[in-house]
Amino acid sequence: MKNKKVAVIGTVGLPAKYGGFETLVEHLVKNLNKNFDFTVYCSSISYKNKPRTYNKVRLVYLPLSANGKSSIPYDILSIIHSLFYADVILVLGVSGAFILPFIKIFTGKKIITNIDGLEWKRDKWGNLAKKYLKLQEKIAVNFSHNVVVDNKGIQKHVEKVYNKKSSLIAYGGDHVFKKQLQNHTIKMFNIPKEYAFKVCRIEPENNIHVVLKAFAQTNFNLIIVGNWNNNEYGKTLKMKYKNYNNVFLLDPIYDQIKLNELRSNCYLYIHGHSAGGTNPSLVEAMSLELPILAFDVSYNRYTTQQEALYFKNEIELVNNLNLIQRDNTILKINSAKMKAISLKYYTWKLISERYKTLLD
């Protein structure tokens, strides 16, 4: 019996080097390429070398960016191309969802859509973009055979707003490993002996302003890695806090080994994301057995099973830091719980098996 042909739409491509969806696809095809014949669509703009196969997977390149406004034609063209061969179309994101009704009505293709986080809620989008994304979410939910969500909070949203059931499948985190901090890395980035750590895009919804304001009131060291110069928000914060002795504002680190050294060896991981669903960087931190202090929203509470430490503002963050200073056993208990949760819910073997059930 021949394997089903599965088209994967909506990522920058393989090998993974961009974000959560790309990492998801990397591990799906690794674990399931014996069960399915995968084709993954890739942005030729993002890859200098363009191999036609990767890990026994066929790669198809489009001369468009997979992100921003161009993600719409990128997804549409990928979907149209996939109609000529695919049995199943796995769509990651909702940018091009308006074509799905035609696919469902006029073809026999099975459509599975991972709607990602609630993109239309993100502060970075203008009003027109938010309205578009909200409409695409509605279309994706109503015209996919299966809808995938990565967080219980989004699952509840889909059921409440659209009266639809969805499959809850998060992300794996067990691809990351602890690595000892090297002397040359310490010297390169002027790393203090003990530090809290945060890595993210520098945007208001990630609450960098809250985190910096809190740490500036303490003697705790903090390292934040991000794209500070991409917008006025980041530039303003960098100018305001660059002279604090306990605050280390590092530019993006594209060397994943060095980045993982810094993350692996922090005494506390700060997760300030307030939008979206299950954030891959949070799952990875849990897998690394790091103590988690997360922004208090339902998405983060669902991901951490209510077992992390939480803050809603700089006052609560400072109070948590003071509590940790008085009793450092809190961190040991916290990190052990995070690791146990990650082993139970966030391994790629488990995630892949759940996708396999939908793709069959």
Side-chain angles (χ1 to χ4, degrees), residues 34-62:
K34 291 182 180 179
N35 306 94
F36 305 98
D37 292 336
F38 286 102
T39 296
V40 176
Y41 288 85
C42 310
S43 169
S44 62
I45 295 171
S46 300
Y47 293 92
K48 291 182 180 179
N49 299 319
K50 300 175 181 61
R52 291 300 167 182
T53 61
Y54 174 78
N55 206 0
K56 300 180 182 179
V57 172
R58 182 169 74 120
L59 305 180
V60 175
Y61 295 89
L62 280 73

Side-chain angles (χ1 to χ4, degrees), residues 5 8 16 24 32 55 86 103 109 127 135-136 154 162 206 226 232 245 278 297 303 306 313 337:
K5 298 182 185 301
V8 182
L24 167 65
L32 300 179
N55 206 0
I103 307 303
K109 310 297 182 181
N127 287 333
L135 175 61
Q136 298 316 294
I154 298 175
Y162 305 112
N206 292 334
E232 285 304 313
N245 292 330
T278 296
V297 289
T303 302
Q306 311 281 354
N313 50 51
K337 287 180 177 179

Side-chain angles (χ1 to χ4, degrees), residues 185-199 202 208 211-212 215-216 219-226 228 237-238 241-253 262 267:
T185 305
I186 295 172
K187 291 178 181 178
M188 180 184 296
F189 299 110
N190 190 29
I191 303 303
K193 186 176 180 180
E194 292 184 340
Y195 56 90
F197 185 79
K198 178 173 175 60
V199 57
I202 307 302
I208 298 94
V211 174
L212 285 170
F215 273 85
N219 58 1
F220 286 90
N221 292 319
L222 170 68
I223 296 174
I224 303 184
V225 178
W228 299 97
L237 288 176
K238 190 172 185 180
Y241 291 100
K242 67 179 182 179
N243 293 322
Y244 281 79
N245 292 330
N246 67 320
V247 174
F248 301 78
L249 308 180
L250 305 185
D251 290 328
I253 299 172
L262 294 177
Y267 72 86

Side-chain angles (χ1 to χ4, degrees), residues 251-310:
D251 290 328
I253 299 172
Y254 298 106
D255 185 330
Q256 291 300 311
I257 294 175
K258 286 187 172 60
L259 184 62
N260 206 41
E261 283 181 40
L262 294 177
R263 180 172 57 172
S264 294
N265 291 279
C266 70
Y267 72 86
L268 177 64
Y269 188 81
I270 308 294
H271 187 73
H273 293 58
S274 61
T278 296
N279 185 267
S281 65
L282 177 56
V283 172
E284 290 171 0
M286 294 169 68
S287 185
L288 287 169
E289 203 169 348
L290 300 176
I292 306 294
L293 181 48
F295 193 75
D296 195 356
V297 289
S298 61
Y299 307 120
N300 294 335
R301 282 189 173 269
Y302 285 126
T303 302
T304 57
Q305 300 288 303
Q306 311 281 354
E307 295 287 1
L309 300 172
Y310 305 97

